[in-house]
Amino acid sequence: MFAMILRRLLVSVTSLVLLVTIVFFMIHATPGGPAYSILGMHASPAAVAALNKQMGLSQPLGEQYVIWWWHLLQGRLGYSYIQHTPVTRLLRIYTGRTLLLDLSALGLAALIALVVGLVQGYLAERPLGKVIGVFQIVFYALPVFFVGILLIYILSIRLNLFPPGGIGHHGLDSRLRHLALPVFTLTLPIAAGLSRYFGHQARQEYRLDYVRTARARGLSDLRIALHHVLRNAVRPFVTMVGMMIPAVFVGDVLTESVFNYPGLGWLLWRSALDQDYPTVSAITLFIGVLTILGNLLADLINSILDVRVRYE
Amino acid sequence: MPASPAARPAPTPPRLAVEGLRIDGRQQGRAITVVDGLSFELRPGRMLALVGESGCGKSLTAAAILGLLPWGFRITRGHVLLDGEDVLQLPPGAWRRRRAESMGAVFQNPLTALNPTLPIGSQVVEAARLAEQLGREPARARAQELLELVGVPEAARRLDDYPHHFSGGMRQRVAIAMALARNPAILVADEPTTALDLITQAQILRLLNRLQRERDLAVLFITHDLSLVAEYADDILVMYAGRAVERGEARAFFSAPLHPYSRALLGAVPHPAAPEERLTDIEGLPPAPHEYPPGCRFAPRCPRAGTVCRHEPPPPRVGDGSHEAFCHHPYTEGP
Ligand SMILES: Nc1ncnc2c1ncn2[C@@H]1O[C@H](COP(=O)(O)OP(=O)(O)OP(=O)(O)O)[C@@H](O)[C@H]1O
Ligand code: SF4
Ligand SMILES: [Mg+2]
């Protein structure tokens, strides 16, 4: 168990180092380097050289790489020349909103997936099971942009039930109403993907002999679903939820853009348009770290679920 | 062995009687009849061996009486009488309760027979605990008792172990204990030993035989291996392509099998009386349900097939009074 956690931690740390390195090289691989993006494509070579010197970009790459690490470890993520503020300050403002949106969507999607998946596993070959399968594919494939705009058009503009965007300011009610459409939009494809996966998992489980004997012994369908099938199918599902995090963030960028929801995804989108490299790379790093942590957490949950079974 | 039926003692009434069972279903969009006109009885203290090649409908027969037919499969004709009561007429909930009280089931795969995430003790008595509202301690005591009954060594110490701590044979024992937890009158075992090695197979059969005698259990034992059950079966039902081809008392069956298919199956078992007459394995494969031929379904593979066989479904032919075969040209002499 302890060795397992240690192994997982090692994997996570390795992924982190790789992530940081890749982001570093991504920045330096941009044509002309960061200076051009700050000064514009038509900047004079002298101005570029001056800025490079000022930013430490004229030093050898290896040295810059070490400095890059040194700054990261101190929590210095750079300075946004567009927003004229340290990136860490931007992260402080925007992260909370994104976590609220993404975690609500992921949690809701996981819950929906568990219920739908169990039902689907139970239904197996029955027509209703197949209908659910079709809906999963459709919802999974629908672009977030399309769903978002459709929802805004129907529920905000026509029916005036929800605000079309923003985050709201006055009290919980307003905030929740602003959150509703983005959360729903983001939940839909995740729930579709996760429930398809879990439905498949549950179906495999339902085929096994122990489920058949449980039925023969007269256990109720609900008990079989919760006490037997769920118990066994949930572990790969937890891993899957962890692995969804990057996909959630991709959906988040789109959702936040459509709903003008000022979170990290929105900031990333704006910063990319503005070629604000420090901000883009900081968000990339930050999301990467969250992903690695999410997967680590999923592994830990699994090993805790597992301990009760395999306490060797 | 008395030769005439009149000399035999009056048989005890069957626990379960299946009459003219027909099961229809779908396979790749085609309507198929997988079991047709099947009848048999399970009597207390006796083991009926249901034997036949892969795909002949053994498992679906078991599933039908256990109420576990896969979706798309239905009993379309016949009766299932449980202690004389036609359970197919019962509302689903009542039938389900009756089944749970009176039947236990064991299946083929020891690796998946038990829930890997639950300790075996709690699994074994789960159904009994729920049905009888047993408390924790009585439930544990019952679990221990059941595990001892099926020969799990040091049962008391192993109640909290998980399935992966047990060998395949031990897991099947636990599965049998689980099937017996509510003290059923009938045990359905669908190839419970097929995945096990020969020695373990024999042990499990001995165990079933002991339980059957001690508890007056009516056992339906499904296998494709006649030699496995030769020693313990009281009655034999041989199926081919969804139909019964021969059935009756095991002793009479083994001493003078009537049907060419039975003989072919027995060919794999060297017969002490006439080792040189061992039949080789049957040529060809059994037909799939959508291509069952008219007339005798075994005709394409049968060494004795004549013209009548290809057109007329064979009638039952009585052997020495305690078994019968469905065949136009049955063997009438011993093997
Ligand atoms: N779930 C199912 N869906 C479709 N067809 C099935 C299903 N289960 C069984 N069948 C078909 O019904 C027929 C009888 O199957 P069954 O499982 O009863 O055979 P069996 O005698 O138990 O064979 P085996 O020795 O392989 O277990 C076979 O042709 C099989 O392909
Ligand atoms: S009826 Fe004819 S074909 Fe069928 S088993 Fe008997 S002899 Fe063979
Ligand atoms: Mg089978």
Side-chain angles (χ1 to χ4, degrees):
Chain A
M1 159 89 178
F2 184 71
M4 207 293 263
I5 293 179
L6 208 67
R7 210 162 46 236
R8 287 291 162 204
L9 272 174
L10 213 67
V11 170
S12 301
V13 170
T14 314
S15 322
L16 264 174
V17 171
L18 267 174
L19 173 73
V20 169
T21 308
I22 289 171
V23 170
F24 173 81
F25 281 106
M26 261 164 45
I27 293 170
H28 288 269
T30 53
Y36 273 104
S37 63
I38 293 165
L39 298 172
M41 273 311 166
H42 305 292
S44 71
V48 169
L51 186 65
N52 275 345
K53 199 165 163 64
Q54 183 199 333
M55 290 168 63
L57 290 171
S58 49
Q59 282 145 314
L61 210 58
E63 214 164 294
Q64 286 186 53
Y65 180 69
V66 174
I67 293 171
W68 165 251
W69 266 107
W70 176 235
H71 285 172
L72 279 185
L73 291 177
Q74 293 173 307
R76 286 163 62 188
L77 291 176
Y79 188 84
S80 164
Y81 296 94
I82 307 290
Q83 312 245 3
H84 301 288
T85 180
V87 177
T88 40
R89 187 160 164 266
L90 291 176
L91 288 185
R92 262 204 299 281
I93 300 172
Y94 290 89
T95 302
R97 298 167 185 163
T98 288
L99 284 183
L100 179 65
L101 172 59
D102 288 11
L103 291 183
S104 309
L106 188 59
L108 196 61
L111 213 65
I112 294 172
L114 286 177
V115 175
V116 172
L118 279 178
V119 170
Q120 207 177 4
Y122 173 80
L123 291 173
E125 312 292 335
R126 291 173 181 76
L128 185 57
K130 291 189 178 147
V131 172
I132 294 178
V134 171
F135 272 100
Q136 284 164 333
I137 291 178
V138 171
F139 286 145
Y140 187 71
L142 276 180
V144 165
F145 264 112
F146 175 76
V147 175
I149 289 169
L150 196 74
L151 288 177
I152 290 174
Y153 178 71
I154 298 174
L155 296 180
S156 309
I157 298 175
R158 300 304 296 259
L159 300 177
N160 206 11
L161 291 174
F162 293 99
I167 50 169
H169 295 290
H170 315 293
L172 189 65
D173 179 58
S174 156
R175 293 206 149 229
L176 287 180
R177 283 162 57 81
H178 279 83
L179 204 56
L181 292 189
V183 166
F184 182 81
T185 306
L186 185 54
T187 300
L188 207 58
I190 308 169
L194 280 179
S195 68
R196 191 167 179 78
Y197 174 81
F198 186 63
H200 182 75
Q201 205 71 36
R203 218 166 113 182
Q204 302 288 348
E205 213 62 36
Y206 264 107
R207 292 208 180 112
L208 300 181
D209 280 349
Y210 79 86
V211 175
R212 296 207 290 156
T213 50
R215 281 194 173 138
R217 285 179 292 145
L219 301 186
S220 72
D221 287 336
L222 192 65
R223 182 164 179 100
I224 292 173
L226 299 181
H227 197 62
H228 291 279
V229 174
L230 180 63
R231 234 185 144 81
N232 281 286
V234 81
R235 264 174 285 175
F237 179 72
V238 170
T239 306
M240 192 64 191
V241 171
M243 281 169 38
M244 279 308 263
I245 294 174
V248 173
F249 191 71
V250 171
D252 171 275
V253 174
L254 299 171
T255 309
E256 291 190 2
S257 318
V258 173
F259 289 98
N260 230 345
Y261 181 97
L264 281 183
W266 181 85
L267 182 63
L268 181 66
W269 175 57
R270 300 294 321 170
S271 310
L273 288 182
D274 293 340
Q275 304 205 334
D276 184 354
Y277 286 102
T279 310
V280 170
S281 61
I283 295 176
T284 309
L285 270 178
F286 188 67
I287 295 301
V289 170
L290 286 185
T291 302
I292 291 168
L293 286 181
N295 282 304
L296 183 64
L297 186 68
D299 284 338
L300 288 182
I301 291 176
N302 267 338
S303 69
I304 290 167
L305 289 177
D306 228 31
V307 177
R308 311 203 0 228
V309 177
R310 297 174 209 287
Y311 51 89
E312 243 84 27
Chain B
M1 187 66 211
S4 88
R8 303 206 325 270
T12 43
R15 280 263 125 92
L16 184 93
V18 170
E19 293 173 1
L21 181 73
R22 171 170 161 159
I23 304 172
D24 284 342
R26 314 207 123 254
Q27 200 175 38
Q28 286 148 16
R30 268 191 300 251
I32 49 172
T33 300
V34 283
V35 171
D36 197 9
L38 193 71
S39 302
F40 60 86
E41 290 173 348
L42 302 179
R43 291 175 191 279
R46 289 178 81 86
M47 175 188 282
L48 169 68
L50 175 52
V51 189
E53 276 169 292
S54 186
C56 71
K58 306 182 297 291
S59 291
L60 288 177
T61 301
I65 62 177
L66 289 166
L68 295 176
L69 280 176
W71 186 79
F73 285 80
R74 278 190 321 126
I75 298 176
T76 47
R77 223 175 275 171
H79 304 279
V80 176
L81 305 173
L82 191 58
D83 289 320
E85 180 187 15
D86 190 346
V87 290
L88 300 182
Q89 308 300 324
L90 290 176
W95 171 207
R96 185 174 171 148
R97 273 191 301 280
R98 286 279 274 129
R99 253 175 1 231
E101 285 161 15
S102 49
M103 297 188 200
V106 189
F107 297 108
Q108 179 168 352
N109 191 344
L111 292 179
T112 60
L114 304 170
N115 182 335
T117 54
L118 290 173
I120 58 153
S122 79
Q123 273 188 80
V124 162
V125 291
E126 182 184 10
R129 211 183 62 230
L130 294 173
E132 300 165 30
Q133 319 238 309
L134 282 185
R136 211 183 124 72
E137 282 315 311
R140 270 183 89 81
R142 172 90 67 93
Q144 183 184 336
E145 203 178 292
L146 283 161
L147 291 176
E148 280 163 359
L149 176 73
V150 298
V152 173
E154 299 184 80
R157 218 171 44 76
R158 309 217 58 183
L159 287 177
D160 298 316
D161 283 357
Y162 287 84
H164 73 276
H165 292 117
F166 293 80
S167 67
M170 273 302 148
R171 284 188 221 184
Q172 278 310 51
R173 283 173 192 262
V174 175
I176 293 169
M178 187 158 70
L180 295 179
R182 293 189 65 193
N183 207 5
I186 298 161
L187 182 68
V188 176
D190 187 353
E191 308 211 33
T193 64
T194 305
L196 305 174
D197 62 82
L198 281 175
I199 294 172
T200 320
Q201 285 195 357
Q203 287 171 347
I204 297 283
L205 251 126
R206 263 202 300 283
L207 168 67
L208 286 177
N209 184 257
R210 176 167 64 78
L211 293 170
Q212 169 201 319
R213 282 183 283 108
E214 285 175 5
R215 315 194 126 207
D216 219 18
L217 266 178
V219 178
L220 174 62
F221 190 94
I222 295 178
T223 179
H224 54 252
D225 182 0
L226 258 179
S227 64
L228 181 68
V229 290
E231 198 176 337
Y232 295 111
D234 300 290
D235 302 288
I236 299 280
L237 170 59
V238 181
M239 274 180 88
Y240 185 79
R243 283 190 183 153
V245 294
E246 183 160 4
R247 64 176 187 212
E249 273 186 17
R251 213 173 303 188
F253 170 84
F254 281 111
S255 66
L258 299 170
H259 199 281
Y261 180 63
S262 308
R263 296 240 169 171
L265 279 183
L266 281 165
V269 197
H271 198 283
E276 73 283 2
E277 269 200 30
R278 242 184 97 166
L279 286 174
T280 45
D281 278 354
I282 327 156
E283 302 267 321
L285 290 169
H290 66 275
E291 57 188 24
Y292 286 162
C296 174
R297 291 178 176 175
F298 188 55
R301 299 167 79 191
C302 181
R304 291 166 79 95
T307 351
V308 60
C309 303
R310 297 185 210 286
H311 301 104
E312 301 283 328
R317 289 289 167 83
V318 178
D320 71 352
S322 58
H323 82 302
E324 62 179 0
F326 295 81
C327 178
H328 291 294
H329 313 296
Y331 289 91
T332 43
E333 79 292 357

